[in-house]
Amino acid sequence: MSLRWRGVIEAYRSYLPVSAKTPVVTLLEGNTPLIPSRTLSERIGAPAEVFLKYEGMNPTGSFKDRGMTVAISKAVEAKSVAVLCASTGNTSASASAYACRAGVRSIVLIPSGAIALGKLSQALIHGARVAAVEANFDACLALVKSLAQLYPITVVNSINPHRIEGQKTCAFEICEVLGRAPDFHATPVGNAGNITAQWKGYQEYLKEGKIRKLPILLGFQAKGAAPLVRGALVKNPHTIATAIRIGNPASWQGAIHARDESHGLIHAVTDREIIEAYRLLASKDGVFAEPASAASVAGILKLAKSGYFKAYYAKKRRRITIVCILTGHGLKDPERAIKSIRVPKSLPASLSVVAKAVGLR
Ligand code: AN7
């Protein structure tokens, strides 16, 4: 076997809308680790093995790269000279990186003051034209749709179907590693493109005979930004998980289908539960994911407490496999990490003072 990984388009070409004529724009995204979590496995309340699909290991630090390689490749094939997106941060980081690699311009609209610093730095360093708009993500996306009507530019938000196609490869990789689909697939939900894509991936693998059974999908939104849970738009969404601060998800129907067809659920988790899960992952498993990503972990811990997995085990009587998607890297939002932990104060360079401060006696 060749160990050379060539990105998701080459790995899954026959499942993607590309031909021999499509110029492949790739940063060798995908092939991310599926890390077993002993800490979480022990907290499920039934015999279970929990895995973390660490999508923060993609080239720009989030799952968006899987969709962006396809969207930008298709934009170049269509001779587009500029791409446009609205973003809570990660889409803009990914779009600007793939666009500069392809030699096309990127324009990004972000909610002013409401995206994590790491993501903003990525869009800027990759040379995107950044508009910091005094509005939330939903309003930015509405502006993007209007701009696309007026100017010849390709929208690379997940309303672009090529994004969904690329992102479904996450489900393929999970099935490849496990040799089947997991029993449960837990994921954070914002604009709902990703849950839609993942469900599509599993369904295609079932149809192709690569798996025999579909997983149950568990989607988690932040409580202050949970339109799918409430069944109504949220006008002023709020959460510390800025990536999923979205009140009017574009793939609303996709998320509802994924939930209902898989006999799953979409629930809300509080900011406090998100931060607890965020710190647990970092301090017990050694995995640093951004706050929005920790929503999937907060969600399964909450379900575990309510006896959800125990009830499933009582019926099936075999060990449960759960995959949590960690959608983005913790380094995207270092300010949040610093805020949630006590920062060390500076000390004189004295052996006794330093030893005492770090707990050595
Ligand atoms: C880390 O970058 O919407 O439900 O504009 O960055 O597919 O929207 C990001 C979303 C989860 C939610 N985790 O995925 C954007 C943007 C992280 C994210 C989501 C996002 P969707």
Side-chain angles (χ1 to χ4, degrees):
M1 191 183 96
S2 163
L3 283 178
R4 184 170 168 218
W5 176 256
R6 297 199 298 155
V8 301
I9 292 182
E10 296 306 348
Y12 298 108
R13 187 170 264 281
S14 66
Y15 293 87
L16 295 171
V18 293
S19 71
K21 277 183 292 188
T22 313
V24 176
V25 182
T26 180
L27 284 161
L28 310 187
E29 60 296 312
N31 197 19
T32 57
L34 191 67
I35 307 171
S37 167
R38 205 172 74 198
T39 309
L40 293 177
S41 302
E42 282 166 2
R43 293 185 186 211
I44 290 305
E49 187 157 31
V50 178
F51 293 90
L52 306 167
K53 180 66 169 162
Y54 195 17
E55 290 287 275
M57 291 301 283
N58 275 297
T60 79
S62 85
F63 70 95
K64 304 285 181 182
D65 296 343
R66 295 178 183 278
M68 210 53 77
T69 182
V70 181
I72 299 290
S73 297
K74 294 302 283 184
V76 174
E77 184 179 3
K79 308 257 183 296
S80 192
V81 294
V83 298
L84 169 69
C85 68
S87 181
T88 58
N90 280 324
T91 299
S92 63
S94 185
S96 51
Y98 282 79
C100 79
R101 200 168 170 84
V104 304
R105 287 202 305 154
S106 61
I107 304 168
V108 309
L109 272 57
I110 54 168
S112 178
I115 79 168
L117 197 60
K119 304 173 188 181
L120 179 61
S121 73
Q122 289 177 287
L124 295 171
I125 203 80
H126 292 307
R129 282 292 188 92
V130 179
V133 184
E134 289 165 356
N136 63 28
F137 168 83
D138 303 295
C140 288
L141 185 57
L143 280 172
V144 158
K145 288 178 185 168
S146 303
L147 286 169
Q149 304 260 305
L150 297 171
Y151 303 92
I153 26 185
T154 304
V155 176
V156 293
N157 280 103
S158 56
I159 51 176
N160 178 331
H162 299 133
R163 280 275 314 279
I164 304 287
E165 292 301 312
Q167 283 172 212
K168 75 190 176 190
T169 59
C170 179
F172 295 168
E173 288 178 13
I174 292 167
C175 296
E176 239 101 58
V177 173
L178 297 179
R180 61 185 190 89
D183 297 304
F184 295 93
H185 173 113
T187 190
V189 178
N191 213 21
N194 211 27
I195 193 170
T196 302
Q198 291 158 357
W199 183 234
K200 189 165 196 283
Y202 285 116
Q203 284 177 306
E204 288 184 12
Y205 256 29
L206 183 76
K207 214 171 124 213
E208 290 293 317
K210 297 249 187 187
I211 54 173
R212 295 215 310 267
K213 192 178 110 355
L214 290 164
I216 294 172
L217 262 61
L218 308 173
F220 298 100
Q221 300 201 284
K223 190 156 184 258
L228 293 162
V229 180
R230 293 166 50 167
L233 300 189
V234 176
K235 235 177 146 189
N236 295 307
H238 60 88
T239 165
I240 52 102
T242 51
I244 52 172
R245 188 167 154 202
I246 295 174
N248 183 12
S251 297
W252 189 296
Q253 281 313 319
I256 298 300
H257 284 149
R259 180 193 70 188
D260 295 346
E261 289 168 13
S262 75
H263 308 290
L265 52 83
I266 299 178
H267 281 184
V269 287
T270 64
D271 280 1
R272 191 197 200 125
E273 290 164 336
I274 288 174
I275 290 297
E276 269 174 26
Y278 168 74
R279 292 184 56 172
L280 183 75
L281 276 174
S283 63
K284 298 286 187 204
D285 275 325
V287 176
F288 192 20
E290 68 172 284
S293 304
S296 60
V297 172
I300 65 157
L301 291 174
K302 196 168 185 168
L303 289 178
K305 274 194 201 134
S306 76
Y308 180 85
F309 297 110
K310 201 176 268 175
Y312 183 85
Y313 180 77
K315 275 194 294 184
K316 304 281 175 180
R317 288 276 147 206
R318 55 166 179 75
R319 199 163 65 146
I320 307 168
T321 306
I322 304 172
V323 171
C324 282
I325 309 296
L326 299 183
T327 44
H329 204 291
L331 289 171
K332 293 270 190 175
D333 194 357
E335 290 172 311
R336 177 54 58 188
I338 302 281
K339 269 186 211 151
S340 66
I341 301 288
R342 200 157 44 95
V343 180
K345 62 176 201 283
S346 56
L347 303 170
S350 141
L351 183 61
S352 60
V353 174
V354 171
K356 186 160 173 249
V358 295
L360 297 171
R361 50 188 78 229

